[in-house]
């Protein structure tokens, strides 16, 4: 029944050219599953999703409770009442003529190209032009904020490089931010932004701490507010996420009646899910659902309004108890809320395989070939790039010597410049690293940068050394894996030493130490410590690669240079005041007799 429905499929005619609907058939479920197989065990933490809804089907036994809906309604009334005030929606035009402007008459800027790009008809442009406005859904935390800055930089780059010039369809941009009380977060001077109140903590907690619910709630508030909607300059919107990087100009693939969305391999509905679907849409079934989510999504505002009343409520319902978890993975239940809501409105999506690519260190050769050929429009960096120093990619649930993973940067932004990957890393990982570096280097106020020349300041932890910092906390058997594979660990396991504090000396008091076979380290006066290999070029000559150990002393990160019969422990460059300070030994050890 699914295959009898009309799904439009697309294939690019060339880099930067409009997609055609006259391509070969879409990938089958089986082939999509095979394409995603290398990532089957990769942890997907902290998905940042946000969009609209309110109004639940009367027959749903798991509707949000009255208290939840009352809290949302109260927040909506407060937002709408304040929407006309200058301090509620601080919006900046971003240099795009005809785009969003501050309700207080704020100035334009933020990466202006000086080009007359508009969301309305432009003289000399074809009548078929359908401009669209990017809506980037986000929250106001650090984790998503630095991603927003990288995303906006590349949106400007791609817009300005569009061969269509002033006739580009990629026009307006608004960051839709769910924040505490709808307060600005300080980035509105750099990125065109509007702010809406985030869901109350009690609602998030009662729905298994699923912060992604702020996406449909924030879009619901956007659609409910005429003042906020005035910031949207086109009838079509492209809904994106913070961990998207635009790779090339995107044509408007949607029509007034058919939105365009990416095909997710894990969103193909099946009959075993019908009982969940019918809780929210009694007339529906898995055969009617498209394998899509709310991002990336190109859609006409009229269709978004039609979907909105159910999207949030279906998502709230799915997360209100653990029932749906049996057949729908929890971290994508807001995507299922969107898919069910859209189908219940009779909306059929144009399925666009080229909308985005989701590579990782374990990407297939076929995917990498299409990546190199410029098939895709958006890079979605949800999967990790984990490599050992010899360029060997790590299997799922492992952390590499070099680890490019957004999840390392929850509380702090990545520091510019990030180090290049080991030789042998795939082209997608290199491209993403360079995209991050380009954006960070172009933003003068980027908050975290390495000390110039590596001297005169503390080195910032970025992509190297994560294996040691995270390995023992995440993996009970991490040391055992290394003991089987790492020559240095094999050689050092069980070694005993006589150690003196600092640089030591003939008269220094000495204590015993042992690198125990279990991965523990005994050192007189120290509580339980751990040790393992530390292949980190950033440590410099005090602890060279292939002769460097990780030592955790009293919760403080240290390194140890294994040089023949000597073992010298230093403070890590990431905790020392400077590289110079990291050159002074904490312990000097000699092999015990």
């Amino acid at each position: 029944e699914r295959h009898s429905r009309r799904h439009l499929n697309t294939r690019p005619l060339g880099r930067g050219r409009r997609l055609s609907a006259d391509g070969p058939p879409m990938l089958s479920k089986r082939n999509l599953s095979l394409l995603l197989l290398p990532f089957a065990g990769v942890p997907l933490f902290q998905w940042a999703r946000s969009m609209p809804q309110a109004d639940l089907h009367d027959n749903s036994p798991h509707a949000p409770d009255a208290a939840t809906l009352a809290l949302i309604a109260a927040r909506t009334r407060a937002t709408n009442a304040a929407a006309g005030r200058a301090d509620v929606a601080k919006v900046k035009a971003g240099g795009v003529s005809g785009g969003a402007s501050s309700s207080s008459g704020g100035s334009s800027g933020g990466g202006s190209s000086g080009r007359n790009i508009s969301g309305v008809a432009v003289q000399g442009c074809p009548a078929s032009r359908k401009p669209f406005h990017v809506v980037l859904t986000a929250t106001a935390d650090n984790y998503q904020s630095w991603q927003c800055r990288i995303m906006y930089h590349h949106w400007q780059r791609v817009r300005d490089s569009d061969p269509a010039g002033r006739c580009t369809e990629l026009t307006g941009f608004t960051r839709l931010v769910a924040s505490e009380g709808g307060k600005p977060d300080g980035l509105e001077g750099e990125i065109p932004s509007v702010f809406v109140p985030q869901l109350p903590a009690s609602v998030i907690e009662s729905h298994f701490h699923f912060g992604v619910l702020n996406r449909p709630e924030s879009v619901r508030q956007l659609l409910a507010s005429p003042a906020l909607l005035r910031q949207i300059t086109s009838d079509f919107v492209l809904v994106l996420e913070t961990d998207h990087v635009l790779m090339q100009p995107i044509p408007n693939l949607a029509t007034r009646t058919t939105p365009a969305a990416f095909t997710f391999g894990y969103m193909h509905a099946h009959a075993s899910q019908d009982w969940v679907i019918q809780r929210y849409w009694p007339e529906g079934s898995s055969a009617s659902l498209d394998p899509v989510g709310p991002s990336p999504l190109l859609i006409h505002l009229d269709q978004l309004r039609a979907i909105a009343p159910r999207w949030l409520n279906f998502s709230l319902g799915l997360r209100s108890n653990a029932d749906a978890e049996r057949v729908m993975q929890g971290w994508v239940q807001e995507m299922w809320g969107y898919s069910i809501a859209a189908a219940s409105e009779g909306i059929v999506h144009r399925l666009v395989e080229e909308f985005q690519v989701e590579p990782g260190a374990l990407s297939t050769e076929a995917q990498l070939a299409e990546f190199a050929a410029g098939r895709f429009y958006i890079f979605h960096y949800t999967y990790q790039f984990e490599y050992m120093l010899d360029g060997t990619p790590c299997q799922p649930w492992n952390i590499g010597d070099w680890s490019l993973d957004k999840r390392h940067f929850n509380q702090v932004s990545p520091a510019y410049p990030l180090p290049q990957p080991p030789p042998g890393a795939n082209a997608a990982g290199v491209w993403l690293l360079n995209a991050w570096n380009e954006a960070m280097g172009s933003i003068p106020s980027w908050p975290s940068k390495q000390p110039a020349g590596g001297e005169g300041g503390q080195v910032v932890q970025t992509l190297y050394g994560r294996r040691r910092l995270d390995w023992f906390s995440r993996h009970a058997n991490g040391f055992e894996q290394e003991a089987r594979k790492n020559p240095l660990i094999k050689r050092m396991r069980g070694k005993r030493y006589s150690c003196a504090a600092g640089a030591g000396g003939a008269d220094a008091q000495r204590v015993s130490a042992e690198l125990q076979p279990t991965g523990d380290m005994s050192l007189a006066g120290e509580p339980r410590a751990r040790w393992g290999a530390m292949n980190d070029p950033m440590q410099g000559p005090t602890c060279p690669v292939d002769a460097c150990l990780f030592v955790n002393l009293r919760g403080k990160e240290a390194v140890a240079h294994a040089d023949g019969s000597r073992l010298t422990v230093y403070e890590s460059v990431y905790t020392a005041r400077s590289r110079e300070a990291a050159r002074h030994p904490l312990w000097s050890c000699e092999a015990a007799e």
Side-chain angles (χ1 to χ4, degrees), residues 10-11 26-27 262-263 351-356 375-376:
T10 57
R11 185 166 294 277
M26 61 180 277
L27 288 174
F262 178 66
T263 305
L351 303 181
V352 185
E353 297 165 12
E354 292 82 12
F355 226 146
Q356 69 178 10
R375 180 186 181 193
F376 306 103

Side-chain angles (χ1 to χ4, degrees), residues 269-292:
H270 47 82
S272 67
Q273 297 168 325
D274 282 346
W275 64 273
V276 175
I277 295 167
Q278 289 163 8
R279 282 186 172 182
Y280 307 100
W281 178 30
E283 303 82 13
S285 74
S286 56
S288 301
L289 268 62
D290 287 332
V292 301

Side-chain angles (χ1 to χ4, degrees), residues 115 154-165 247-249:
R115 299 167 60 188
H154 287 285
W155 175 83
Q156 294 179 96
R157 174 186 59 79
V158 168
R159 177 202 61 184
D160 293 348
S161 67
D162 191 341
M247 303 177 71
Q248 59 178 313

Side-chain angles (χ1 to χ4, degrees), residues 358-380:
E358 298 179 317
L362 297 173
S363 286
T364 63
E365 290 299 323
Q367 185 188 55
L368 292 172
E370 291 183 324
F371 176 85
R375 180 186 181 193
F376 306 103
Y377 291 112
I378 297 168
F379 193 120
H380 183 201

